[in-house]
Every structure is written in structure tokens, then in C-alpha cells.
Amino acid sequence: MANKLLSEMGLPKSIANIFAAQVTSAVAHISEIVCPSYQTALSLLEHRLQNEHLAGHLPTRLKGLDAALCGGIPYGVLTELVGPAGIGKTQFCLKLALLASLPACYGGLDGRVIYIDVESKFSSRRMIEIGLKSFPYIFHLKGLAQEMAGRILVLQPASLSDFTESLQELKLSVLQNQVKLLVIDSMAALASGEYEQGFRRQHSLCWHISFVKSLAEFSRIPVVVTNQVRSQSHDDTCQYDFQAQSRDEMVDDPMKYDSHLIAALGIHWAHAVTIRLILEAKSGQRFLKVAKSPMSPPVAFPFCITSSGISFLTDDGIELEGSEINKIRGQGHSDIINFYAESFYGSGSKLLD
């Protein structure tokens, strides 16, 4: 009976027509709910302009990067900083914390910052130094430096379980304290020592990744998370289809494992982040790469670390393509600067000694 058409059930035509009309109406109503109608690019743009107060960016004061990201670190999504130890990830985060706590009249967000310092790398002294060198006209005002430092709330969880407990109160704290930036430095370090590298480590952070991502969307604040790197092994396949190297090519050239690092936490984490900024180095030159972004092509900026934090050597980005986009190099980075990077990337510029 369930497989028969209404016309085959022997019902009077008038009753069959009523049933058919009701079923058609129900299907159309359900389809409208589960399959919303299409929108044009113009309507999406108009909707975004009408809700501009829900969007926004935290400017990094790095002109080239802010231009590439259409204003800076965006609200409501996860932005990842990934790179080898000592490359400048924490320096970048300290500067962002200052910018978020800076009074609005000086171009800041005039809010509080929650800084989750997993590896005990947070340095109040270094943060004040960055502030004095970057904003001397502000930090010399009486009491303003202390006021800004008082807006930065530092948490130092000793383990993944401690971090889990702090997350339970984090959403409420973000709302009650007018938090304008959340920094987690670093996400990968939370699982180290408790789980092995690989699937178990990724699985242990699945709930935390989902929570932090939903918190960013719910609170509409910029969320910046640092990530570590690990050596590429023979078991690692290309993370993305557009990466040119095949697994066989990688096995034939074992030297590539020594110079090519990959981001920790795996592919699930890579999909969770909206923007991935890679900090890398080769032959004494540091680069910041916009490796993943919905609003920017892959570009790289040479930089150095000064008393005022990260400084770009040029605001003109070097466009990247192919496997160079996601490669992470960590060899020989130092404070020695060799600018213009043709031999580093293979095209688009020159390398001067």
C-alpha cells in the first residue's frame, strides 16, 4: 500500500485530489525551510553593509597585512599564527593585545583582552617595551600604560583539563568584561604531554576547537590562536590538492623533510581556522605569509623583529602559488635581514646580499 500512487488506491477522484494537494503543499513548505532560495552577490553585499556593526577588524598596524585582510584581523572567526619556535608568534600576539586595549581615540578597540598563555611566554616587560616604542605619545601619559596593562587578563592553564575548566566560564567572561580580543598561545601545546602526536592528539582537541570557533562567532570578536610545527614524515601526504608534490616524489628526496615543516594539529584544525598566517624563515630572512584567507590571495611579506615588535620591510606582498603556499621553513632564522626574495620563492623579486 505504501508503494502505491494515490491514483492506484481506488479513492474517489475528489478525495485523491485533496490528498495530492495537501502532500504537494507540505513538500513545498518543507523544501522552502530546508532549501532556502538563492541569493545574489549584490544582495549579500547589501546585507553586509546593513549589518556592518556586526563585522569589523582589529588593525595590526602592518599596512600590507591590513590591506590584504581588508582591514586587519577579522571579528567572528579564528585566525591562526603558525611557525617554528622563536619566529615571532608571541611578539605578534603581544602587539595585538596592546592594540585591542588601546583607547578608541588612538585607533584601538578600547576593550579588555583575554590572553591564554599556555607555555608561560607572556612577558609584561616586553609588552610595555613594545608599547613605549610603538606608541610613545600614549605610553608617556600618566597612568595610561598601567590602565591598558590592567585590561589584559592572563590565564595560564597547566594542562588540557585546566583549559577545559576555564572554557566553561570563558563565554560569560567575554560578555561581562567587554572583551575585544581572545588570544590562545598556543593551541598545540595544550595537548602535548597528554596525548601522542597524530590522530589521538587531534581527537582530544575536537571539542575545544568547536567551542572556540563557536565562541568567536557568538561574541563577534577577533580570536587569534598560535600553532606549532612539526617535521614532515614519510607518512604525511599533501594536505591540499593544489600542492604539486606527490608522495612518491617526497620519498625519493628525503632532504625535503629537513627543510619543510608542517602545521601541527592536522587537517581538522586547518579546516576550522578561517585565516592562516604562516611565519617562516630561510637563510636569515623571515617572512609572514597569508596562506589561507577568504579575502586575500596567498602573499608573503618579509619582516624583522624590532623593539616595537614585528615590522615589515615592505608593504608590497610577494604573491605565492603552488606548494609554496603551505610550506613552512624554519632554518637559519635570525635577526640578519636579506631583503627581496626571488631565490626564496622562485619568482617575483630579487635576493640581495
Side-chain angles (χ1 to χ4, degrees), residues 7-57:
S7 59
E8 300 173 348
M9 296 177 63
L11 296 172
K13 188 174 182 179
S14 58
I15 296 178
N17 288 340
I18 292 174
F19 278 137
Q22 290 176 341
V23 171
T24 301
S25 176
V27 170
H29 183 63
I30 293 171
S31 298
E32 184 178 353
I33 295 174
V34 299
C35 301
S37 59
Y38 67 85
Q39 299 183 67
T40 65
L42 177 60
S43 65
L44 289 172
L45 176 61
E46 291 173 344
H47 182 265
R48 178 178 178 180
L49 292 175
Q50 291 172 358
N51 295 277
E52 193 66 32
H53 65 284
L54 296 177
H57 298 80

Side-chain angles (χ1 to χ4, degrees), residues 232 234 236 238 243-257 323 327:
Q232 189 179 31
H234 289 265
D236 291 315
C238 291
Q243 288 183 291
Q245 288 178 307
S246 69
R247 185 171 180 175
D248 292 337
E249 291 173 335
M250 291 159 58
V251 171
D252 291 340
D253 189 359
M255 291 298 294
K256 293 180 181 178
Y257 303 110
S323 60
K327 282 184 178 178

Side-chain angles (χ1 to χ4, degrees), residues 217-235:
E217 296 171 352
F218 169 78
S219 61
R220 306 303 303 176
I221 63 172
V223 176
V224 177
V225 180
T226 67
N227 190 9
Q228 299 172 350
V229 295
R230 63 183 179 89
S231 299
Q232 189 179 31
S233 69
H234 289 265
D235 294 329

Side-chain angles (χ1 to χ4, degrees), residues 58-227:
L58 169 59
T60 66
R61 303 293 180 98
L62 298 170
K63 186 177 179 181
L65 181 59
D66 288 342
L69 299 179
C70 300
I73 307 298
Y75 296 177
V77 300
L78 294 185
T79 297
E80 177 198 35
L81 302 176
V82 58
I87 194 67
K89 301 185 297 293
T90 298
Q91 306 269 349
F92 193 98
C93 291
L94 292 175
K95 184 68 169 284
L96 289 180
L98 282 173
L99 292 169
S101 63
L102 202 66
C105 59
Y106 294 109
L109 299 185
D110 199 19
R112 292 180 179 272
V113 176
I114 293 181
Y115 197 113
I116 301 178
D117 179 27
V118 180
E119 299 179 277
S120 300
K121 291 182 178 180
F122 183 89
S123 171
S124 299
R125 178 177 296 181
R126 176 59 177 144
M127 187 184 68
I128 296 299
E129 180 187 19
I130 292 174
L132 285 170
K133 296 295 183 179
S134 302
F135 317 107
Y137 52 93
I138 300 173
F139 270 68
H140 284 104
L141 296 176
K142 185 177 180 180
L144 188 55
Q146 289 83 352
E147 180 183 343
M148 292 174 60
R151 295 177 180 175
I152 300 174
L153 314 175
V154 181
L155 301 177
Q156 294 182 319
S159 64
L160 184 60
S161 58
D162 285 349
F163 178 65
T164 304
E165 292 180 8
S166 65
L167 284 180
Q168 305 297 337
E169 301 178 1
L170 194 57
K171 182 179 291 187
L172 185 60
S173 179
V174 166
L175 294 176
Q176 290 181 338
N177 295 300
Q178 295 186 337
V179 173
K180 298 296 179 67
L181 172 67
L182 171 63
V183 176
I184 303 176
D185 184 16
S186 76
M187 197 72 180
L190 284 166
S192 63
E194 297 191 22
Y195 288 88
E196 296 178 357
Q197 182 73 45
F199 175 78
R200 292 185 65 194
R201 184 176 187 180
Q202 295 177 38
H203 182 71
S204 70
L205 288 174
C206 282
W207 179 85
H208 304 82
I209 292 170
S210 298
F211 185 93
V212 173
K213 187 175 179 66
S214 65
L215 179 61
E217 296 171 352
F218 169 78
S219 61
R220 306 303 303 176
I221 63 172
V223 176
V224 177
V225 180
T226 67
N227 190 9

Side-chain angles (χ1 to χ4, degrees), residues 260-338:
H260 179 188
L261 305 171
I262 61 174
L265 299 181
I267 193 66
H268 298 296
W269 169 253
H271 283 303
V273 300
T274 301
I275 294 174
R276 167 170 281 180
L277 304 179
I278 292 176
L279 285 75
E280 64 175 1
K282 183 182 181 182
S283 302
Q285 174 66 74
R286 302 179 193 235
F287 284 85
L288 187 152
K289 298 195 300 191
V290 181
K292 178 186 178 184
S293 168
M295 71 280 291
S296 170
V299 292
F301 300 92
F303 75 91
C304 62
I305 297 179
T306 67
S307 57
S308 61
I310 286 180
S311 298
F312 281 178
L313 301 181
T314 177
D315 290 314
D316 297 324
I318 305 164
E319 288 201 25
L320 306 174
E321 58 184 29
S323 60
E324 288 295 337
I325 296 172
N326 289 285
K327 282 184 178 178
I328 306 174
R329 296 180 174 89
Q331 290 186 338
H333 67 80
S334 67
D335 292 328
I336 301 173
I337 298 303
N338 294 314

